[in-house]
Amino acid sequence: MKLALIGFGQAGGKIVDEFLAYDSAIDNSFVEAAIAVNSATTDLQGLDHVPQENRVLIGQARVKGHGVGADNELGAEVTEADIDELQGAIDRVPVHEIDAFLIVAGMGGGTGSGGAPVLARHLKRIYTEPVYGLGILPGTDEGGIYTLNAARSFKTLVDEVDNLLVFDNDAWRSAGESVGSGYDRINREIVERFGLLFAAGEVGQNDHVAESVVDSSEIINTLENGVSTIGYASETVESANEGLLSSFRSDTEFDEGTATNRMTSLVRKATLGRLTLPCDAASADRGLVVATGSPEHLNRKGVERGRQWLEDETGSMEIRGGDYPIPGRDDVGAIVLLSGVTAVPRIDQLQQVAIEAQETTESVRANAQEDFATLVDTGGELDALF
Ligand code: GDP
């Protein structure tokens, strides 16, 4: 499906940059337009792929290009104030050619955390196309303020977008990795999963096995509302010299049973393995199974079985399925999109920690005010100058 991507803040910009690299590497062009928005000049300069004219600096009057720190209320304010500048960049997007907007933001910081919900509300008011969010949750080790920001941003953004797709940094970090290289790896994981999903809806009608190819409307219907998470599993299917053999293989020699079993097991692995937002898959309201790989390795029965398995697992009658054929790939994969999920322990924990952080912050502030008053107070013994 065709998307207008808007990366908000540092994480949002970097991930959109990565989406652009992925989009050109797979030669698919599901990215119709890409915009990066930030209140920090250096973050915008650090991007590689977002076109210069689509890098929008906001909040210059307030923060002079230095960013908003981790103050997401300020992030929301400067976005509101500079929404016309943002609209100027959006005006250049051929909106009639896109299927949806996707706003990408780290929820624990300031600019993206506060700005993404403001932009989502603005887009919803002006356009009829769906507006999706891709929200990145902070690691639990990032501290109280990031958790509080993320919990407030989540609460706000989920009401402003049609669907909030979530990726949890905490579930994907590796021990012993530096923050920088960690994010590079994580960003590739994010883009591979969400990129494959959106690219799947962009396969032309004339492509292989066209009748079972996933259509963008199936993705849109699955993303009708709520919160979503993605699972992905893949395996290599062909050794180097098999490529030659396969050119002699006729259609009847295609091993239907192996392909079906492989796909069913990949769907299970994708669903029960590490999701972008870990949750109880059974709580999903809707789902979509996409089989990826070279067309000669995909069969309809495999997707159908995988789809049925997910139906049983979730108890939902709204599980869609289809192919994303990618000729020449030597691996077969399953993407599982779970939407309308409700049993998400990570969100409960995030909210709990955020409430505690908010209470602590309030009492520390009140104490600090009292302490300061005591510090300055001389019991009326000294007069101020004026
Ligand atoms: P902003 O620029 O004020 O919107 O804030 P940032 O985007 O720098 O940071 C917000 C949060 O995003 C951080 O707390 C991290 O959890 C996360 N983050 C920052 N950079 C990256 C990145 O490159 N990739 C990922 N996955 N998360 C990031």
Side-chain angles (χ1 to χ4, degrees):
M1 65 194 284
K2 292 272 189 215
L3 292 178
L5 295 179
I6 303 163
F8 224 117
Q10 189 183 18
K14 274 159 62 188
I15 293 166
V16 164
D17 223 35
E18 194 68 37
F19 264 118
L20 283 171
Y22 180 84
D23 193 49
S24 69
I26 64 165
D27 219 5
N28 179 288
S29 81
F30 63 92
V31 182
E32 182 65 36
I35 295 171
V37 192
N38 214 313
S39 59
T41 319
T42 45
D43 288 348
L44 286 178
Q45 284 167 346
L47 301 173
D48 293 323
H49 305 289
V50 175
Q52 285 294 342
E53 67 275 17
N54 287 357
R55 301 181 189 186
V56 184
L57 183 67
I58 55 167
Q60 223 173 341
R62 291 282 294 275
V63 301
K64 317 259 183 283
H66 297 309
V68 298
D71 183 345
N72 61 355
E73 288 185 11
L74 183 56
E77 275 172 38
V78 298
T79 307
E80 194 84 62
D82 286 351
I83 201 76
D84 290 344
E85 284 184 38
L86 241 165
Q87 184 59 45
I90 297 163
D91 281 341
R92 292 194 294 274
V93 174
V95 175
H96 55 281
E97 283 179 20
I98 64 164
D99 295 302
F101 290 95
L102 180 68
I103 305 173
V104 188
M107 307 190 85
T111 309
S113 172
V118 174
L119 175 62
R121 175 175 289 190
H122 173 82
L123 292 176
K124 289 287 300 169
R125 211 167 36 212
I126 297 188
Y127 301 102
T128 53
E129 283 72 15
V131 177
Y132 302 131
L134 171 50
I136 314 297
L137 297 182
T140 45
D141 56 354
E142 285 188 55
I145 182 73
Y146 290 89
T147 304
L148 178 56
N149 283 349
R152 294 182 70 200
S153 181
F154 178 87
K155 184 177 163 57
T156 319
L157 188 56
V158 84
D159 284 340
E160 301 298 340
V161 292
D162 289 285
N163 195 292
L164 182 57
L165 302 135
V166 183
F167 184 93
D168 181 13
N169 276 347
D170 202 59
W172 288 80
R173 66 199 167 126
S174 290
E177 222 172 17
S178 76
V179 174
S181 70
Y183 282 152
D184 288 347
R185 177 187 57 80
I186 285 178
N187 292 351
R188 283 194 299 274
E189 303 268 15
I190 293 174
V191 162
E192 179 172 39
R193 279 158 183 76
F194 292 97
L196 265 178
L197 173 73
F198 293 123
E202 200 37 48
V203 173
Q205 288 304 305
N206 297 327
D207 285 288
H208 298 80
V209 286
E211 71 276 23
S212 56
V213 160
V214 169
D215 193 73
S216 57
S217 65
E218 287 167 298
I219 302 174
I220 290 170
N221 289 339
T222 309
L223 291 175
E224 193 187 334
N225 54 31
V227 171
S228 294
T229 181
I230 287 186
Y232 174 61
S234 68
E235 68 181 50
T236 307
V237 286
E238 213 178 35
S239 66
N241 58 0
E242 253 188 339
L244 186 65
L245 282 178
S246 67
S247 59
F248 295 107
R249 201 168 57 183
S250 75
D251 277 348
T252 50
E253 282 174 288
F254 173 75
D255 189 346
E256 183 91 27
T258 308
T260 306
N261 290 343
R262 187 195 293 125
M263 186 48 64
T264 318
S265 112
L266 284 171
V267 170
R268 291 170 73 110
K269 261 198 227 167
T271 311
L272 304 175
R274 189 157 45 160
L275 298 167
T276 58
L277 173 67
C279 70
D280 180 3
S283 73
D285 198 35
R286 300 169 304 280
L288 174 68
V289 172
V290 183
T292 67
S294 206
E296 69 270 20
H297 296 137
L298 301 177
N299 68 339
R300 195 181 267 215
K301 208 166 162 193
V303 181
E304 189 43 35
R305 282 276 173 78
R307 207 192 58 70
Q308 270 166 10
W309 176 84
L310 191 60
E311 229 172 61
D312 293 343
E313 189 71 12
T314 57
S316 163
M317 289 292 109
E318 247 195 275
I319 306 293
R320 298 172 170 87
D323 294 333
Y324 171 28
I326 316 172
R329 283 277 285 243
D330 64 356
D331 62 344
V332 165
I335 309 159
V336 173
L337 167 66
L338 298 169
S339 197
V341 294
T342 47
V344 192
R346 174 74 174 105
I347 297 292
D348 295 337
Q349 180 228 24
L350 186 86
Q351 287 163 339
Q352 209 46 52
V353 175
I355 291 166
E356 283 163 24
Q358 186 163 278
E359 284 166 2
T360 312
T361 310
E362 276 163 12
S363 84
V364 166
R365 264 196 204 139
N367 286 344
Q369 263 171 5
E370 252 175 57
D371 292 348
F372 183 68
T374 318
L375 172 76
V376 182
D377 184 33
T378 56
E381 300 283 320
L382 285 175
D383 295 329
L385 285 176
F386 47 83

